[in-house]
Amino acid sequence: MKKDFSLLFISLFFVLQVFGQQEKPNIIFILTDDQRWDALGFAGNEIIQTPEMDRLAEEGIYFENAFVTTPICAASRASLLTGLYERTHGYTFGQGDINQPYMDQSYPVKLKEAGYFTGFFGKFGVNYPGFSTLFDKGESYDRNGKFDDRRGYFYKTIGKDTVHLTRYTSQQAIDFIQEAPADQPFMLSLSFSAPHAHDPAPLQYFWSEEFDTMYQNITIPDPELGEDEYFMEQPEYVRSGENRTRWFWRYDTPEKYQHSVKGYFRMISQVDAEIGKIRKVLDEKGLAENTVIILMGDNGYFLGERQLAGKWLMYDNSLRVPLIVFDPREEGGIRKSEYALNIDVPSTILDYAGIKVPKLWQGVSLRSPKMKNRKDFLFEHLWQVAIIAPSEAIRTERWKYFRYINDPSHEELYDLSLDPMEINNLAADPVHQKTLNQMRKKLEKKSNAYLKAKIE
């Protein structure tokens, strides 16, 4: 009798455990590479065609003021993994491997510990020798730097066919969803290389042939702030730096500008089409009603503004990104104006999974009422490299202040309430010296706090 009761108890415990796992939502986190905030139809862009991303925004929550804390892929992706500012986790290009203590509490580790079946496909972007242990299934790959032509994007195969990396990543996602265990919730991270330019190639942008005719009969308007005066206002080390070098690669003639921006849009539209295929599989598997989808860009992007290209700088072109959270179980069609950061995404993922957020993390869940309490936040780009000047900034609802770390005498101050395009630098204006000093002190205080939070 006791034996039978014990077996019944064990069986009941197992059933309840499986039931509990099935009640947890599946989570898909989609990260695009270099997609700026307004490269999205829902954001008001009347040229780009992104019906699937727009549908996610229409049915979910669209964050109107979403930013990355560091406008470069390596540091931003480390922040997305760890929930920490660059100043705390200390990782960017040229820093070796990311420190193990930060990865020990990264969101993939926490999800796996909580019983999620986890996967990652695409550009990991962070040097970490333990990648193979982070996920139940995963593959890390990016553009192939061995080639200076379309093969940078066309080198992976499905069956015997060589396909664009965007198509390849989508197929890995579809296979993962089809094969995921029925008795576990899954968490899938998808990191598309697109729309990142293939830097070694003269043509820069590559897409699948079915997108060849998209945008071909459209003339892309000239970039805002494209006049000489806005370029000449930059310090010499910006005018001669990598932002200018890549402008020559992509935008320095009208023909090159049209090709590059259309190529950039085509690559985003291709990612969009693949998202539609993934959502169709979720529907067919009966998983759509219990799968949360989060979509974000890893940093912003210059499309010729100020006669610059790339990212890295403290202007909103570099910092502002699309961010959408779609939960089919909750009311959608919501636009939120609160400031949302990349460091908030891992906390949001854990929140949906019902997992306690590590105390060290510096972001908050995008579902938390604490979002409304964010009054200021830090931006930083700390990589010490000759071709890109490192810089740091602080932003409040009204003001943005930034300076270059190796040239702190060059300061920029903008009243965003009157000057959202950051045209009129008020740092030298006697009327605004009190505000300048206040913002400088805010930046230094916050910077020191995040530096002290490092795990030694």
Side-chain angles (χ1 to χ4, degrees), residues 25-73:
N26 304 307
I27 304 168
I28 300 178
F29 174 38
I30 300 171
L31 187 67
T32 55
D33 196 335
D34 283 353
Q35 184 179 2
R36 55 189 262 164
W37 75 276
D38 60 352
L40 182 73
F42 193 82
N45 190 316
E46 296 180 355
I47 296 176
I48 197 167
Q49 297 176 37
T50 53
E52 294 297 333
M53 296 183 194
D54 296 347
R55 184 160 72 98
L56 284 172
E58 289 163 0
E59 297 174 354
I61 302 172
Y62 173 70
F63 290 87
E64 298 174 323
N65 293 297
F67 299 87
V68 295
T69 53
T70 303
I72 191 170
C73 59

Side-chain angles (χ1 to χ4, degrees), residues 141-173:
Y141 51 87
D142 193 10
R143 296 166 292 111
N144 193 328
K146 295 178 182 178
F147 301 111
D148 61 359
D149 53 29
R150 71 191 298 273
R151 291 171 295 175
Y153 263 103
F154 287 87
Y155 70 94
K156 288 284 192 178
T157 58
I158 298 175
K160 295 182 179 180
D161 296 329
T162 301
V163 298
H164 192 279
L165 274 189
T166 294
R167 177 73 196 95
Y168 181 82
T169 299
S170 170
Q171 189 60 51
Q172 303 316 300

Side-chain angles (χ1 to χ4, degrees), residues 221-345:
D222 291 339
E224 296 177 325
L225 311 186
E227 295 79 12
D228 291 345
E229 62 181 289
Y230 299 108
F231 172 69
M232 293 307 298
E233 287 175 353
Q234 302 302 309
E236 188 280 329
Y237 42 81
V238 174
R239 297 199 307 271
S240 61
E242 193 69 4
N243 292 91
R244 184 61 168 178
T245 298
R246 298 195 183 196
W247 181 82
F248 285 110
W249 294 357
R250 299 167 193 163
Y251 312 130
D252 68 332
T253 68
E255 296 77 17
K256 201 181 291 185
Y257 173 76
Q258 292 295 320
H259 170 82
S260 293
V261 179
K262 288 179 183 180
Y264 178 77
F265 284 1
R266 285 175 183 136
M267 294 176 77
I268 293 171
S269 291
Q270 183 168 359
V271 172
D272 186 82
E274 297 300 332
I275 290 172
K277 295 176 185 178
I278 293 167
R279 293 193 71 183
K280 183 179 179 182
V281 171
L282 290 172
D283 261 329
E284 292 169 350
K285 288 277 289 181
L287 299 171
E289 295 305 311
N290 194 41
T291 300
V292 174
I293 300 175
I294 301 171
L295 171 73
M296 191 178 201
D298 71 337
N299 50 248
Y301 201 63
F302 280 90
L303 289 174
E305 296 87 359
R306 304 177 197 268
Q307 297 186 12
L308 301 173
K311 48 268 185 174
W312 312 305
L313 304 180
M314 295 292 108
Y315 297 110
D316 276 6
N317 308 79
S318 293
L319 300 164
R320 197 172 173 193
V321 293
L323 176 58
I324 300 165
V325 177
F326 167 69
D327 182 351
R329 306 165 305 166
E330 296 180 358
E331 180 185 356
I334 298 170
R335 300 176 77 106
K336 289 196 173 183
S337 60
E338 294 98 313
Y339 294 114
L341 306 177
N342 55 343
I343 58 173
D344 298 331
V345 170

Side-chain angles (χ1 to χ4, degrees), residues 3-22:
K3 183 178 180 182
D4 290 342
F5 180 78
S6 297
L7 288 172
L8 178 64
F9 179 81
I10 292 169
S11 299
L12 182 62
F13 177 79
F14 177 76
V15 168
L16 289 173
Q17 186 180 41
V18 170
F19 178 76
Q21 288 174 333
Q22 291 174 334

Side-chain angles (χ1 to χ4, degrees), residues 126-145:
V126 174
N127 289 335
Y128 180 59
F131 172 83
S132 62
T133 67
L134 276 180
F135 305 94
D136 293 298
K137 285 193 172 183
E139 184 182 358
S140 173
Y141 51 87
D142 193 10
R143 296 166 292 111
N144 193 328

Side-chain angles (χ1 to χ4, degrees), residues 90-228:
Y91 182 83
T92 189
F93 287 111
Q95 304 299 311
D97 297 334
I98 190 169
N99 289 334
Q100 186 64 43
Y102 301 118
M103 293 304 294
D104 287 342
Q105 57 177 17
S106 63
Y107 82 78
V109 170
K110 295 300 179 183
L111 268 292
K112 204 172 178 183
E113 288 175 351
Y116 269 75
F117 184 72
T118 60
F120 181 98
F121 299 97
K123 178 179 176 177
F124 192 61
V126 174
N127 289 335
Y128 180 59
F131 172 83
S132 62
T133 67
L134 276 180
F135 305 94
D136 293 298
K137 285 193 172 183
E139 184 182 358
S140 173
Y141 51 87
D142 193 10
R143 296 166 292 111
N144 193 328
K146 295 178 182 178
F147 301 111
D148 61 359
D149 53 29
R150 71 191 298 273
R151 291 171 295 175
Y153 263 103
F154 287 87
Y155 70 94
K156 288 284 192 178
T157 58
I158 298 175
K160 295 182 179 180
D161 296 329
T162 301
V163 298
H164 192 279
L165 274 189
T166 294
R167 177 73 196 95
Y168 181 82
T169 299
S170 170
Q171 189 60 51
Q172 303 316 300
I174 289 168
D175 293 345
F176 176 88
I177 293 167
Q178 295 280 18
E179 299 165 6
D183 61 349
Q184 281 180 275
F186 68 75
M187 195 284 156
L188 172 61
S189 297
L190 291 179
S191 183
F192 289 97
S193 293
H196 197 297
H198 187 49
D199 299 332
L203 290 178
Q204 294 284 289
Y205 298 93
F206 299 94
W207 53 87
S208 294
E209 62 180 351
E210 60 263 38
F211 296 87
D212 283 348
T213 59
M214 188 173 278
Y215 312 117
Q216 69 175 3
N217 296 321
I218 293 171
T219 299
I220 305 294
D222 291 339
E224 296 177 325
L225 311 186
E227 295 79 12
D228 291 345

